[in-house]
Amino acid sequence: WFAPGNTMISNEEVASFVDEYPERLAGVGSVDISRPMRAIDEIRRCVDEFGFVGIRVLPWLWERPPTDPLFYPVYTVCCDLGVPFCTQLGHTGPLRSSEVGRPIYLDRVALDFPDLTIVAGHIGYPWTEEAVAVATKHSNIFIDTSAYTARRYPPELIRYLKSHGTDKVLFGSNYPMITASQALDG
């Protein structure tokens, strides 16, 4: 994870975890969006050298919505390489602005990048209905349930899962905050 001014965990560290258990793990990289050309090079390195299967950038870390121009080089190279862009929707756990996690921002991104697969993590709460709306509207947007146990899924998500959202919602945990067994319980 890259955050303004520092690295929380490097892509090299992620690659080393994957190297230990390649049959069980797949890497997802992150980049510093404040340096667009370096970000492009790093995404290419993550995919070409490390074999990563996606790129994840969290808007709240940068205090910028996904429609900010600094994200657009990331989307472009993800399209070019055929890897999904993963992000977080909804409120933040840390004391940072949640506004940048509004799901509706992804509507504009999906219109501008129809070939980009977007995995929108954390259900989008408290804007879950908005997350469902953009995932329904755009074939390239998916919601993941990471950071929520099944008992905490909002009713809007349950309705979506029981109707036309069965192929649009991905199960996730949020290790180490929620272990796989905790996420599977319920």
Side-chain angles (χ1 to χ4, degrees):
W1 290 15
F2 284 88
N6 65 22
T7 302
M8 298 170 131
I9 181 170
S10 71
N11 291 323
E12 290 80 8
E13 288 175 279
V14 173
S16 72
F17 301 146
V18 173
D19 286 345
E20 285 186 49
Y21 302 98
E23 69 286 347
R24 297 186 73 196
L25 300 177
V28 175
S30 190
V31 294
D32 179 347
I33 63 171
S34 71
R35 309 194 75 174
M37 294 311 292
R38 283 192 183 178
I40 289 169
D41 291 342
E42 182 63 10
I43 292 169
R44 291 190 184 286
R45 184 173 81 103
C46 285
V47 173
D48 296 341
E49 185 179 320
F50 297 143
F52 285 4
V53 299
I55 298 298
R56 186 168 191 246
V57 180
L58 306 177
W60 64 265
L61 279 175
W62 299 95
E63 296 185 354
R64 296 172 183 272
T67 52
D68 189 281
L70 287 176
F71 280 92
Y72 276 55
V74 173
Y75 304 149
T76 301
V77 74
C78 284
C79 285
D80 184 46
L81 296 173
V83 296
F85 173 75
C86 306
T87 193
Q88 178 183 328
L89 296 181
H91 73 86
T92 65
L95 294 177
R96 293 280 190 76
S97 173
S98 295
E99 174 60 28
V100 297
R102 292 288 306 255
I104 199 66
Y105 288 119
L106 294 181
D107 183 49
R108 176 79 264 158
V109 175
L111 290 168
D112 291 345
F113 294 90
D115 296 329
L116 176 66
T117 298
I118 301 167
V119 178
H122 297 2
I123 297 176
Y125 182 83
W127 304 292
T128 306
E129 200 165 331
E130 202 171 276
V132 166
V134 296
T136 298
K137 178 178 179 180
H138 298 284
S139 63
N140 58 328
I141 295 180
F142 299 84
I143 298 170
D144 94 36
T145 65
S146 60
Y148 284 81
T149 58
R151 288 183 183 88
R152 292 184 55 227
Y153 291 173
E156 301 88 350
L157 185 71
I158 300 291
R159 280 194 301 276
Y160 189 51
L161 281 166
K162 289 182 175 181
S163 63
H164 60 284
T166 56
D167 294 333
K168 300 289 290 192
V169 179
L170 307 170
F171 174 79
S173 63
N174 201 37
Y175 185 83
M177 282 65 84
I178 297 175
T179 65
S181 62
Q182 288 171 313
L184 288 168
D185 186 36

